[in-house]
Amino acid sequence: MPWRVSTFFTYTHNPKKSYFCTAFKLKRLNSQPIKIVTILGARPQFIKAAAVSNALSQHPNIQEVIIHTGQHFDRNMSQLFFEEMHLPVPTYQLDIHGLPHGALTGRMMEGIESVLLTEQPDWVMVYGDTDSTLAGALAARKLHIPVAHVESGLRSFNEAMPEEINRIVTDRISDLLFCPSETSVSHLHNEGRLAANARIVMCGDVMKDAARRFTTLMTPPCPPLPDRFVLCTFHRAENVDNPQVLRQLLTALEQVSATVPVVCPLHPHTRKSMEGIDYDTEKSSIRFIEPVGYLEMLYLLNHSSLVMTDSGGLQKEAYYMGRFCVTLRNETEWTELVECGYNRIVGTNPDQILNAVNQLLNTPTEFPVELYGNGHAAEIIAETIAQTK
Ligand code: UDP
């Protein structure tokens, strides 16, 4: 296959040289489309990919092949999202799940590597911070295939979180780093440990694109909802893997539900942990429901009075839908929301949770500051990739 040397502009990661500089890259000299292999595995990745895959499909010179690792596999954690958002059916289903982090990542790497050897893509695209993200980036890097990381540069600065390790390592070995905010760009500059010729692109949040695109299609979930309610989700390991923390959190949510109904779509991992402490969801004052699809989630957000969550994605979606958020963690990657007063970080302390909920339920919802781009992040990503040929 013929090759040529071409130039393109790179946003250098050296903080002392934060300007565009010229880099050299070998590119294939032929008329074939740019082939991207996209690695998906977990619920938030399906939502992000729905925005980006749609933008990629608008480019005649881009061909996308999807690998689904199988990390999330229940119908309402996976297939439902492909159907609702018309995501292309994955060409490869690896069906790998239910293993500890190391085994899961290793088995995924093995499966992804074998596909990459067959497909010989120009790029591998990974999203966010899951084990599927890390496995995809590592498998590609070891085969010298360039990696594009969407939602790059986010940091909680809590290395006890598996997601933080996944983010740091993925950013370290990515070639195109698509950042949702200036803060995430500055984290990458401050670390100064990117791959040679890595290029940082501040594109905004692809979840903003998804929220904008799919809000018009939002759908009520099956069981009827109370007129006024707080929408709650929680599934982070630090909140549900420790029985004492989980009990404390459930007590706090029950206390909130004495004031305003709490509707909680229950993540399968959380359900399992609650079974482990013999918590009876039927007898609880919290209204637990099955995980819902994205269109139902947008409806819940739109009809809620407030959001309580430990999810990364939901903190932003609360803001996109004009709702305050109470974050059930001790830190967040989305610090701008806290700085603007749209999000309160409260951890799992019942008093702090109750105080924040009571205050925010009585605060007018105004969100004048525009954060995380203009809702066209996916187009910037597609255009950037298209220009690499
Ligand atoms: N979500 C959903 N249905 C649910 C719960 C969450 O569609 O029952 C969506 C939510 O709107 C957000 C994404 O899933 O877009 C967040 O996923 P999750 O909380 O699992 O991951 P995180 O954002 O913490 O990485």
Side-chain angles (χ1 to χ4, degrees), residues 49-345:
V52 178
S53 289
N54 180 55
L56 294 175
S57 71
Q58 313 291 318
H59 278 269
N61 69 330
I62 294 181
Q63 178 199 354
E64 187 184 29
V65 174
I66 296 179
I67 302 179
H68 188 326
T69 62
Q71 188 173 340
H72 283 170
F73 55 95
D74 292 334
R75 183 182 144 66
N76 57 3
M77 294 291 289
S78 174
Q79 197 188 332
L80 181 57
F81 291 81
F82 284 81
E83 290 167 6
E84 280 189 340
M85 295 185 285
H86 301 289
L87 256 168
V89 176
T91 312
Y92 298 92
Q93 300 266 7
L94 303 185
D95 205 20
I96 300 166
H97 48 79
L99 296 164
H101 288 296
L104 191 73
T105 310
R107 295 249 335 257
M108 285 177 185
M109 274 185 74
E110 195 180 0
I112 293 167
E113 180 180 65
S114 145
V115 174
L116 296 183
L117 287 169
T118 308
E119 292 287 345
Q120 299 279 322
D122 299 288
W123 286 95
V124 165
M125 172 119 41
V126 294
Y127 290 88
D129 54 23
T130 70
D131 289 343
S132 301
T133 315
L134 178 64
L138 280 170
R141 188 75 198 175
K142 281 170 184 279
L143 292 171
H144 309 292
I145 299 166
V147 178
H149 182 204
V150 177
E151 215 175 66
S152 175
L154 292 177
R155 296 291 181 267
S156 66
F157 300 100
N158 174 1
E159 291 193 10
M161 287 178 75
E163 295 90 344
E164 183 78 350
I165 308 300
N166 293 344
R167 291 178 198 125
I168 291 171
V169 178
T170 302
D171 283 339
R172 177 70 186 84
I173 59 176
S174 291
D175 300 82
L176 265 177
L177 299 104
F178 292 109
C179 293
S181 62
E182 290 297 347
T183 310
S184 52
V185 172
S186 65
H187 289 152
L188 296 174
H189 284 312
N190 293 342
E191 287 172 7
R193 291 192 51 80
L194 299 186
N197 294 333
R199 182 181 173 198
I200 299 171
V201 178
M202 209 315 262
C203 60
D205 178 22
V206 293
M207 290 189 108
K208 189 173 196 174
D209 302 25
R212 287 196 169 183
R213 184 161 153 230
F214 291 106
T215 297
T216 50
L217 301 174
M218 65 187 172
T219 313
C222 257
L225 296 165
D227 289 342
R228 186 168 177 259
F229 63 93
V230 171
L231 174 63
C232 177
T233 74
F234 58 105
H235 71 282
R236 296 251 91 79
E238 69 260 30
N239 283 344
V240 304
D241 286 358
N242 178 330
Q244 211 181 325
V245 175
L246 179 59
R247 273 198 200 94
Q248 174 172 298
L249 186 52
L250 287 164
T251 303
L253 300 183
E254 283 167 1
Q255 287 172 6
V256 173
S257 72
T259 312
V260 56
V262 175
V263 173
C264 183
L266 197 50
H267 192 287
H269 184 59
T270 311
R271 180 179 287 284
K272 209 169 157 201
S273 299
M274 283 164 52
E275 283 164 7
I277 59 166
D278 292 327
Y279 186 88
D280 189 344
T281 53
E282 300 295 321
K283 291 193 182 138
S284 172
S285 58
I286 305 160
R287 173 108 168 250
F288 290 105
I289 60 174
E290 288 299 313
V292 293
Y294 186 56
L295 304 184
E296 290 79 7
M297 198 58 182
L298 288 172
Y299 186 98
L300 286 171
L301 279 158
N302 194 45
H303 287 74
S304 66
S305 304
L306 181 78
V307 174
M308 285 190 290
T309 191
D310 64 8
S311 156
L314 220 59
Q315 291 176 53
K316 290 168 296 156
E317 286 166 346
Y319 157 67
Y320 299 147
M321 301 296 280
R323 300 291 177 272
F324 285 117
C325 182
V326 173
T327 294
L328 308 169
R329 289 176 51 193
N330 295 318
E331 72 278 308
T332 179
E333 299 76 24
W334 305 97
T335 49
E336 300 82 357
L337 294 170
V338 180
E339 286 152 17
C340 289
Y342 307 157
N343 184 354
R344 294 270 179 91
I345 303 294

Side-chain angles (χ1 to χ4, degrees), residues 18-51:
S18 55
Y19 52 79
F20 284 82
C21 72
T22 307
F24 293 91
K25 188 172 169 125
L26 281 168
K27 292 207 310 190
R28 263 181 265 194
L29 188 66
N30 59 30
S31 57
Q32 282 176 2
I34 297 172
K35 190 192 271 189
I36 302 174
V37 167
T38 294
I39 315 291
L40 303 179
R43 176 170 66 186
Q45 292 166 338
F46 310 141
I47 296 162
K48 291 165 198 171

